[in-house]
Amino acid sequence: MKKKVAFYTLGCKLNFSETSTIARGFQEDGFDRVDFSEYADMYVINTCSVTENADKRFKTIVKQAQKINPEAFVAAIGCYAQLKPEELAAVDGVDLVLGATEKFKIGDYINDLTKNDFGEVHSCEIEEADFYVGSYAIGDRTRAFLKVQDGCDYKCTYCTIPLARGISRSDTLQNVLDNAAEISAKGIKEIVLTGVNIGDYGKGEFGNKTHEHTFLDLVKALDGVEGIHRLRISSIEPNLLKNETIDFVSQSNSFVPHFHIPLQSGSDDILKLMRRRYMSGLYIDRVNKIKETMPHACIGVDVIVGFPGETDEHFLETYHFLNELDISYLHVFTYSERDNTAAAEMDGVVSKQVRSKRSKMLRGLSVKKRRAFYESQLGKTYQVLFEGENKEGYIHGFTSNYVKVKSPWNPELVNTLHNVSLTEIDEDGLVRFDFEKITTEV
């Protein structure tokens, strides 16, 4: 009988791409992969430590696995496992904890899957996380997350990612292109580029700081890969999103007009405290440049509320900054203290109640921004890629510029591209459409 293994991923698209690669390794070693809700001999939890909630959820997920099979071997890997290995090892039921470099060699650390009395820890000093492991995730067979870069050399005062993932390093250009071709050969229509700081692509490509390729080189090379219908840039720092890249995307065969650009605060005072590498003026320039070249582009924004020292005035500065900016939606994060970060020692702590209130205000603004963006796209024709899930009798899809559409469920539409005319916004905020000429079908 084959052993069964199940995976649970917390956090970002990068974590999902790495979980997929690790899971394929288990399957090559003769394991059957099953859903996390099913009986398995081993459960692997890929952790995140960006927010307090991700830490708390870990214990709940371990209990979930133990409820299904109390004798299952439980392994914790990923960012939280690198930052606080002993803490995870102490959680009842955890048998193995692997850090940033060890997670990719998990097969070397498991024997007969006999449970341990105490969690066994294998975690390197983060300075040793200096090699690159390529990976990609295939989710619903319409979209894949392709990792191109790992680690970060930035020193933002609130962030633990450099401590959890190490220095900035990149995949070789050839390996990225090979992975993209492999994904395309599986019939997947869209690739989302992921990494910790993908605009830094090129650094560490050869195991050192020499640069042969840049992010623009990567974008140009990927645009030439046959069989890829859509390429999406997941998230890129404003100071690393250059005019040349924006211009290229506007003329590209495959890259879609959708950018996700972290802001974190609209107040220059707070940006300085965060040690971000730009001021609000540069951010405005990036948004204006995108809208000049691609007026229909979708622009998403990350923002943190409740950072130490953020007064009511600073928050309102951020609120008005975002309200006046031609953006499409927000991802709002409530600041949470992380050990071993400079921000955790700063004065001017904002109460949890005030953080929550500010978060609610920005989430409300995000709803308004998304609605306004969707309304501005009505009457226009776009290509939609339909997804594979039946959601309460409807099939969903996204236009190239990230407008979410819905239509009565039709399995024949799954993983197909169609031109549609956007007609109206439904009660749930999604967009209805009329079909135009079919462009591509599986």
Side-chain angles (χ1 to χ4, degrees):
M1 287 276 294
K2 279 186 173 184
K3 296 279 189 187
K4 293 180 177 178
V5 62
F7 295 84
Y8 196 108
T9 306
L10 289 158
C12 60
K13 295 181 180 78
L14 180 55
N15 268 7
F16 278 93
S17 74
E18 291 179 343
T19 297
S20 273
T21 297
I22 292 165
R24 286 194 291 274
F26 270 92
Q27 288 167 301
E28 286 164 12
D29 289 341
F31 281 77
D32 270 340
R33 183 179 181 179
V34 298
D35 191 79
F36 202 84
S37 62
E38 296 175 43
Y39 182 96
D41 301 286
M42 180 176 182
Y43 293 91
V44 180
I45 304 165
N46 194 354
T47 63
C48 168
S49 196
V50 169
T51 67
E52 202 173 9
N53 287 342
D55 293 1
K56 288 175 181 170
R57 282 186 65 197
F58 176 75
K59 288 180 184 175
T60 309
I61 296 157
V62 172
K63 281 179 186 167
Q64 213 176 302
Q66 286 189 298
K67 202 171 178 182
I68 302 165
N69 179 9
E71 296 305 311
F73 190 89
V74 177
I77 63 173
C79 292
Y80 189 20
Q82 175 65 38
L83 291 172
K84 298 196 173 178
E86 304 298 339
E87 200 172 290
L88 289 193
V91 173
D92 188 42
V94 173
D95 300 291
L96 179 66
V97 179
L98 299 179
T101 62
E102 293 80 8
K103 64 188 173 189
F104 294 109
K105 299 176 279 189
I106 187 169
D108 297 347
Y109 297 98
I110 56 174
N111 299 312
D112 59 357
L113 300 184
T114 303
K115 287 194 76 62
N116 294 322
D117 293 333
F118 303 100
E120 194 179 297
V121 172
H122 297 276
S123 180
C124 68
E125 292 300 318
I126 198 59
E127 291 76 21
E128 294 169 33
D130 58 359
F131 63 90
Y132 186 86
V133 177
S135 50
Y136 63 83
I138 297 164
D140 55 9
R141 98 184 169 83
T142 59
R143 181 183 294 113
F145 302 132
L146 173 58
K147 174 183 169 185
V148 299
Q149 182 273 343
D150 200 351
C152 188
D153 293 341
Y154 287 9
K155 298 287 187 286
C156 301
T157 54
Y158 53 83
C159 187
T160 58
I161 295 298
L163 300 172
R165 284 188 168 269
I167 59 170
S168 179
R169 53 209 189 274
S170 309
D171 206 349
T172 64
L173 185 60
Q174 190 56 53
N175 200 43
V176 173
L177 296 177
D178 290 347
N179 281 340
E182 207 173 293
I183 291 165
S184 170
K186 295 177 190 291
I188 289 159
K189 300 283 194 291
E190 181 174 311
I191 292 177
V192 183
L193 303 184
T194 68
V196 175
N197 187 358
I198 64 172
D200 211 23
Y201 176 81
K203 194 182 282 185
E205 188 183 356
F206 304 104
N208 52 37
K209 297 293 180 188
T210 57
H211 274 260
E212 182 175 329
H213 297 107
T214 64
F215 183 69
L216 180 59
D217 293 333
L218 174 74
V219 166
K220 286 180 174 177
L222 281 168
D223 200 50
V225 175
E226 282 188 31
I228 300 175
H229 296 268
R230 285 185 178 181
L231 286 154
R232 204 177 288 275
I233 299 167
S234 61
S235 180
I236 184 166
E237 293 283 305
N239 52 303
L240 295 175
L241 178 57
K242 306 297 186 188
N243 285 345
E244 295 83 359
T245 304
I246 295 169
D247 286 332
F248 184 81
V249 168
S250 72
Q251 304 296 321
S252 158
N253 299 318
S254 310
F255 278 90
V256 295
H258 175 208
F259 296 86
H260 194 93
I261 315 168
L263 169 68
Q264 312 310 12
S265 177
S267 161
D268 286 347
D269 291 343
I270 300 300
L271 288 174
K272 286 172 189 169
L273 286 174
M274 291 176 166
R275 276 195 221 143
R276 300 292 285 161
R277 297 198 176 192
Y278 54 86
M279 292 290 105
S280 57
L282 182 136
Y283 198 92
I284 293 169
D285 289 347
R286 298 297 83 213
V287 170
N288 289 345
K289 171 66 179 175
I290 291 166
K291 287 295 184 175
E292 279 165 19
T293 52
M294 293 166 275
H296 58 301
C298 177
I299 302 175
V301 182
D302 286 342
V303 61
I304 296 170
V305 297
F307 188 80
E310 184 186 65
T311 62
D312 287 344
E313 289 74 24
H314 289 133
F315 171 71
L316 287 172
E317 199 179 340
T318 294
Y319 186 94
H320 293 311
F321 179 86
L322 290 165
N323 191 38
E324 289 161 21
L325 212 54
D326 192 1
I327 56 165
S328 314
Y329 63 90
L330 305 172
H331 282 174
V332 183
F333 298 90
T334 304
Y335 171 75
S336 61
E337 287 79 0
R338 317 309 291 150
D339 289 344
N340 302 313
T341 60
E345 308 298 320
M346 287 181 179
D347 295 331
V349 174
V350 178
S351 74
K352 295 278 175 74
Q353 190 180 1
V354 171
R355 293 183 211 185
S356 176
K357 182 182 169 188
R358 290 176 184 172
S359 175
K360 197 172 178 182
M361 283 178 70
L362 283 187
R363 287 177 204 280
L365 179 61
S366 181
V367 170
K368 179 181 138 188
K369 284 286 186 181
R370 194 184 296 270
R371 176 90 188 191
F373 176 63
Y374 282 8
E375 284 176 352
S376 73
Q377 302 305 299
L378 295 181
K380 296 179 179 176
T381 298
Y382 289 107
Q383 196 179 71
V384 167
L385 174 59
F386 287 97
E387 306 203 321
E389 202 178 334
N390 183 338
K391 296 187 178 178
E392 298 177 355
Y394 287 92
I395 189 168
H396 292 170
F398 284 95
T399 64
S400 52
N401 64 339
Y402 214 56
V403 173
K404 193 171 186 179
V405 304
K406 66 184 286 194
S407 183
W409 172 252
N410 178 354
E412 290 178 14
L413 291 176
V414 172
N415 198 33
T416 63
L417 289 157
H418 294 261
N419 276 355
V420 306
S421 176
L422 305 180
T423 56
E424 62 180 321
I425 301 174
D426 213 354
E427 290 172 358
D428 58 5
L430 305 188
V431 179
R432 297 283 198 158
F433 59 87
D434 292 329
F435 280 103
E436 300 280 321
K437 181 186 167 190
I438 295 173
T439 52
T440 310
E441 230 174 354
V442 170

